[in-house]
Amino acid sequence: GKEKKIIKRNPKIEKSMGRKSKKSHNNSNKTKESKPVALDGPEEITLWGHPLMSVKILIILACTAFMDACKLIWKHFFKIAFIFGGLAALWLVPGSHTPYVITTEKILVFAGWWILLGVASSIGLGTGLHTFVLYLGPYIAKVALVAQE
């Protein structure tokens, strides 16, 4: 048989799909959180079958995630400002720490470059260079050294 997927209800998405959200019929004034719902098989909304609905749901979820991120940043604003202000002061003010800052900057740029290559490769935009350097190159070198012995 088909396995049931458990999902958590998102009232904004259900409203956009024309579904009415189920309200609690409990007489108490407490608001209940939405309960997970079991679905029979995969959701019937697909990108090819319902492209406008898919884009609408994507926009709703992206806006929700953006708002959650903004709330989190606002909640920890002073901590974030203190950390970034300290890092900016280290980077901008010359002193005995400058060589360490330059070395750290070079390491971060190098690591960021390889992470960017990995992300680009995972979405099909990569050149394969990082795969060669990280996996295939060392293997070829190992085989060549063993063959020379």
Side-chain angles (χ1 to χ4, degrees):
K2 292 183 179 180
E3 294 181 12
K4 291 189 176 190
K5 284 197 306 188
I6 303 296
I7 62 165
K8 187 167 177 152
R9 289 182 178 267
N10 187 333
K12 291 180 184 177
I13 292 175
E14 289 192 6
K15 184 178 177 185
S16 73
M17 292 174 18
R19 296 182 185 168
K20 294 180 181 177
S21 60
K22 295 182 180 179
K23 303 253 178 170
S24 172
H25 295 295
N26 195 351
N27 289 336
S28 66
N29 291 334
K30 296 179 183 176
T31 58
K32 283 190 167 183
E33 289 197 25
S34 56
K35 295 181 180 179
V37 174
L39 296 176
D40 294 324
E43 192 68 34
E44 61 273 356
I45 295 178
T46 62
L47 181 61
W48 299 114
H50 302 281
L52 294 177
M53 182 67 69
S54 298
V55 170
K56 186 176 182 179
I57 291 171
L58 172 71
I59 291 170
I60 291 169
L61 289 176
C63 290
T64 303
F66 179 74
M67 292 302 295
D68 290 344
C70 289
K71 288 176 187 175
L72 185 68
I73 289 170
W74 185 252
K75 181 179 177 182
H76 300 287
F77 178 76
F78 291 110
K79 293 176 193 173
I80 294 169
F82 180 74
I83 291 170
F84 280 107
L87 290 174
L90 281 174
W91 191 55
L92 295 172
V93 177
S96 60
H97 63 282
T98 304
Y100 301 110
V101 172
I102 292 171
T103 303
T104 304
E105 183 180 356
K106 287 180 181 179
I107 290 170
L108 290 175
V109 167
F110 181 75
W113 171 254
W114 285 104
I115 290 170
L116 180 66
L117 282 178
V119 170
S121 175
S122 70
I123 60 173
L125 301 175
T127 62
L129 176 64
H130 66 288
T131 304
F132 175 77
V133 171
L134 293 175
Y135 301 107
L136 192 56
Y139 177 73
I140 290 172
K142 182 179 175 183
V143 170
L145 290 174
V146 170
Q148 282 182 350
E149 292 177 0

